[in-house]
Amino acid sequence: MRFICYIPTYSYSGLVSFWIAREINDKKKSKKWIKRGVECKDEIEKLSVSASKWNFQNKAYLLQAEEQFSNMNFELAERLYDAAISSSKTHKFVNEEALANELTGHFYLESGRRNRSVQYFSRAFEKYNEWGAVAKSNTLTEYLDETDRDD
């Protein structure tokens, strides 16, 4: 059975799928979630080419980064996260720039580079505030405070 993603949820379904894949301790189930994420990523990539590079390029980069992170290809993931942030900024998607920075922060934190993660979380905080999502930016502060206590 094919996993179905609907616009505009392709990108969010893909992001969630890759996140779940990394959190699951069952390799078989993890592969299933990665497959779902890849299906969503493929649809966004098609839309980036056929419909609107402006609207979908940053989403494609972010899903590609998450896929590489899930496959432990950290070097490529780094470049793709930065491309997602840059594309979001260029195309003036403040909310998606915030999300890309947040996910990049999680990437660096989970790959053992906490100092680098703080830079991205800080930018996410700024962008969420710029977008008007003050409650979301506050959750980032709480999350960082919590991870400080865990260290």
Side-chain angles (χ1 to χ4, degrees):
M1 182 165 134
R2 185 171 185 272
F3 180 70
I4 299 173
C5 302
Y6 296 100
I7 299 174
T9 60
Y10 282 119
S11 57
Y12 297 112
S13 294
L15 294 174
V16 169
S17 295
F18 288 128
W19 187 278
I20 291 170
R22 288 193 303 273
E23 296 297 313
I24 287 180
N25 291 326
D26 181 319
K27 196 168 186 162
K28 185 177 178 183
K29 287 181 182 177
S30 180
K31 284 184 180 191
K32 177 181 137 187
W33 283 103
I34 289 174
K35 182 178 181 222
R36 287 181 177 186
V38 168
E39 288 174 6
C40 292
K41 178 203 62 143
D42 290 346
E43 292 301 320
I44 290 292
E45 288 174 341
K46 287 178 199 171
L47 289 167
S48 180
V49 172
S50 68
S52 175
K53 183 177 179 182
W54 182 275
N55 285 325
F56 296 104
Q57 180 185 53
N58 66 309
K59 296 168 188 63
Y61 285 144
L62 189 55
L63 286 164
Q64 291 165 0
E66 286 285 296
E67 177 185 17
Q68 295 308 315
F69 180 20
S70 296
N71 290 322
M72 301 185 78
N73 186 350
F74 297 155
E75 190 175 310
L76 182 54
E78 284 182 47
R79 291 194 304 269
L80 290 165
Y81 280 118
D82 287 338
I85 293 165
S86 177
S87 179
S88 296
K89 184 175 187 168
T90 298
H91 298 135
K92 313 256 187 274
F93 295 124
V94 176
N95 60 321
E96 294 179 10
E97 185 181 353
L99 177 61
N101 273 289
E102 180 182 359
L103 293 178
T104 306
H106 284 291
F107 164 73
Y108 283 113
L109 187 63
E110 292 176 32
S111 60
R113 294 175 279 180
R114 179 169 173 56
N115 290 341
R116 188 117 190 228
S117 75
V118 172
Q119 298 168 2
Y120 287 94
F121 283 128
S122 295
R123 279 191 239 149
F125 176 86
E126 291 168 12
K127 291 300 172 179
Y128 281 127
N129 276 323
E130 181 181 331
W131 186 46
V134 177
K136 176 60 181 168
S137 64
N138 290 339
T139 63
L140 281 179
T141 302
E142 292 167 11
Y143 176 77
L144 286 175
D145 289 345
E146 188 177 299
T147 59
D148 279 342
R149 285 191 298 272
D150 291 344
D151 286 343

